[in-house]
Amino acid sequence: MRPLLTALGLVAAWEALVWLTGVPPYILPPPSRVAVVLVGRFDLLIEQAVWTATEMVLGLALGLTLGATLAVIFAASAGWRRWALPLVIVSQAIPVIAVAPLLVLWLGYGMASKVVMAALVIFFPVVSSLYDGLRRTDPGWIELAQTMNASPRAVLLQIRLPAALPAFASGARIAAAVAPIGAVIGEWVGASAGLGFLMTQSLARGQTPLAFAALVILCLLGLALYTATDWLARRLVPWQSFQGD
Amino acid sequence: MRSAHIVLDGHVVAENLSLDFPAGRTTCLLGRSGVGKTSLLRYLAGLLPGTEAAGPVAYMAQRDLLLPWLGVLDNVLLGYRLRRDEAARRAAEPRARALLAEVGLEDRLNHLPSTLSGGMRQRAALARTLCEDRQIVLMDEPFGHLDAVTRFDLQDLAAHLLRGRTVVMVTHDPLEALRMGHEIHVLSGSPFALGPAIVPAGDVPRDPADAGLLTLQGRLIGQLRSGS
């Protein structure tokens, strides 16, 4: 309740600021104007939002799947660890955002380049969180499994992997928070649809209130994606809620 | 155990150890913290690098090591799940249920370990150890961190359930050794040596209020003190 009041206060201050200074709306539109556009262009906004949301969700799913697969492979195979893990770490030196124009060049203005962009942005946090979790299994559990004649494969799948799920869940939460960044940057660089595309288009035409309205929807999308992921992550590790974290 | 050398991180814990563990009996190895009891047990379990277990053993560590995502019954059947032997798992399930009934957890079959008390968790771990149905059972201070009364209850229960198996239990608690062990050896020194077998009278679990037992406890404490 209190943060909501703070937000309302900030919105009111913003409205007052525009009134007092007389800034033209194409520089800084007052919230009331943004609200009018939100309602008036709702159909357009929703249409673009569905497009962007699809990119985010697909990108998140792709990044989580690839990241998790690679983390499990690294945990299972010393060869992969030696040959490919340093590469994954070094690849973080490449600013993913700088790759966006290349992705658009290779994959076109459609959805694919944005999905790959979002997947790239979240790939590293997912790999590193799950891989760390897989490495930090309680050695007592592994020894117990050894006395039970468990194969390394059974230890990985039945002990190390479930034990790493809480770490994976935190990685997935971070991924959900940053996946929208990938999708929107992809749209800024080159797109034919989506909220990011709508923002660049409306800014270029001096329709700043529409850009702000798109931004509002984008915030809500990001929030929804995070909340949904957080909910799923909790379901993934139901035993964690008892550990008093 | 014949001519065992136990080396841990380049530090010799024990050398040239030989000891017979009488079949179907409980042998308690009593020693102070840090003497190398756990290393000895891990040696027997084949958990130290370069060692192999003498045969199929069931191992019960100091901590219960229950998997937090599995219910009690699934935890008890962990060995069968890990060996991916579905037929054996199904065959073992009635025994797992019977064991859980014996340790008083029959109405907690699907509860997660985090909902259980420390004593219940240790009882579930005991059921898991017994469910493995191995002739040799290795126990590493399994009741060390429980409160005194719970510990006594669990010692009674374990002594009853372990009957007929060859048990090696390490402990730092002289009273626990005296209650549980058919034979007791004191570990002392560095690298440690094994004392001669002490065989208290009577069957296990022995009565903690028995005067003879308490005298023996005093003697053992004296031995442990002078041995360091």
Side-chain angles (χ1 to χ4, degrees):
Chain A
M1 199 59 215
R2 274 172 212 161
L4 207 65
L5 285 177
T6 314
L8 277 176
L10 284 172
V11 169
W14 171 6
E15 182 86 36
L17 182 79
V18 175
W19 265 84
L20 290 174
T21 57
V23 190
Y26 63 85
I27 300 289
L28 181 68
S32 54
R33 188 89 177 253
V34 177
V36 169
V37 174
L38 258 176
V39 175
R41 310 291 297 272
F42 195 68
D43 289 348
L44 171 73
L45 285 164
I46 284 302
E47 194 186 312
Q48 305 305 314
V50 168
W51 184 264
T52 303
T54 312
E55 289 167 357
M56 289 178 188
V57 171
L58 288 179
L60 187 62
L62 182 69
L64 285 176
T65 312
L66 285 180
T69 309
L70 205 60
V72 171
I73 290 174
F74 282 148
S77 149
W80 275 81
R81 264 201 304 281
R82 237 170 279 138
W83 288 88
L85 183 61
L87 227 59
V88 171
I89 293 163
V90 169
S91 75
Q92 276 311 288
I94 306 169
V96 185
I97 289 157
V99 180
L102 287 173
L103 288 177
V104 173
L105 176 70
W106 294 333
L107 299 170
Y109 284 77
M111 198 176 266
S113 54
K114 286 76 194 173
V115 171
V116 171
M117 185 69 201
L120 276 183
V121 172
I122 67 166
F123 178 72
F124 189 73
V126 172
V127 174
S128 68
S129 65
L130 181 58
Y131 178 62
D132 269 0
L134 287 168
R135 273 194 316 177
R136 291 194 189 143
T137 319
D138 184 336
W141 286 338
I142 294 180
E143 290 184 354
L144 177 68
Q146 277 171 10
T147 67
M148 290 170 164
N149 305 333
S151 64
R153 192 185 137 93
V155 172
L156 177 66
L157 292 179
Q158 296 193 50
I159 294 186
R160 294 173 67 194
L161 198 56
L165 285 183
F168 178 64
S170 356
R173 284 193 194 95
I174 297 172
V178 298
I181 301 175
V184 170
I185 286 176
E187 289 182 358
W188 283 351
V189 172
S192 47
L195 288 171
F197 168 74
L198 185 64
M199 280 183 76
T200 45
Q201 289 288 304
S202 44
L203 281 173
R205 292 176 194 159
Q207 300 171 326
T208 314
L210 185 57
F212 268 88
L215 198 58
V216 170
I217 302 283
L218 211 48
C219 287
L220 293 177
L221 269 189
L223 212 60
L225 190 67
Y226 182 83
T227 312
T229 309
D230 184 52
W231 182 80
L232 278 173
R234 274 170 206 280
R235 313 231 70 188
L236 198 63
V237 285
W239 66 91
Q240 259 228 320
S241 54
F242 293 105
Q243 290 177 344
D245 58 335
Chain B
M1 180 174 58
R2 288 278 163 266
S3 316
H5 291 272
I6 304 175
V7 181
L8 200 65
D9 295 332
H11 168 77
V12 180
V13 179
E15 45 193 4
N16 211 8
L17 277 184
S18 295
L19 186 64
D20 288 314
F21 299 106
R25 315 279 272 176
T26 298
T27 307
C28 281
L29 305 174
L30 177 65
R32 300 180 73 155
S33 299
V35 74
K37 305 185 295 289
T38 297
S39 299
L40 174 55
L41 207 64
R42 286 160 54 85
Y43 172 88
L44 293 172
L47 288 174
L48 292 182
T51 62
E52 236 173 84
V57 298
Y59 186 77
M60 185 170 177
Q62 292 174 23
R63 292 180 298 142
D64 56 68
L65 296 177
L66 298 173
L67 298 178
W69 55 87
L70 292 182
V72 171
L73 180 63
D74 284 330
N75 259 298
V76 169
L77 287 165
L78 180 67
Y80 299 89
R81 292 171 63 98
L82 284 172
R83 289 186 290 272
R84 297 168 164 260
D85 188 345
E86 188 52 31
R89 195 192 68 77
R90 236 175 288 129
E93 195 178 315
R95 212 159 44 79
R97 287 174 184 274
L99 278 167
L100 280 168
E102 293 219 53
V103 300
L105 290 172
E106 68 271 34
D107 54 350
R108 305 269 180 161
L109 295 180
N110 296 312
H111 285 51
L112 291 178
S114 49
T115 64
L116 305 180
S117 70
M120 288 176 173
R121 293 174 61 114
Q122 212 59 26
R123 277 186 271 156
L126 179 64
R128 180 191 59 207
T129 311
L130 290 162
C131 195
E132 282 293 281
D133 204 16
R134 304 278 170 88
Q135 184 49 40
I136 301 172
V137 179
L138 307 174
M139 303 178 102
D140 185 1
E141 293 179 25
F143 315 126
H145 58 273
L146 299 173
D147 67 85
V149 179
T150 309
R151 192 183 314 149
F152 275 16
D153 289 345
L154 265 162
Q155 285 166 353
D156 287 341
L157 188 63
H160 161 67
L161 291 172
L162 288 166
R163 192 147 291 162
R165 291 181 205 271
T166 308
V167 182
V168 181
M169 179 189 276
V170 306
T171 176
H172 56 231
D173 177 4
L175 189 57
E176 178 161 271
L178 287 165
R179 296 204 66 211
M180 300 288 295
H182 293 99
E183 284 190 9
I184 299 164
H185 293 270
V186 174
L187 274 66
S188 57
S190 174
F192 70 74
L194 284 164
I198 299 164
V199 186
D203 199 12
V204 297
R206 300 192 187 87
D207 180 4
D210 181 76
L213 207 69
L214 292 175
T215 315
L216 215 48
Q217 185 191 6
R219 250 178 53 204
L220 284 177
I221 292 173
Q223 264 189 49
L224 288 170
R225 277 180 147 170
S226 64
S228 61

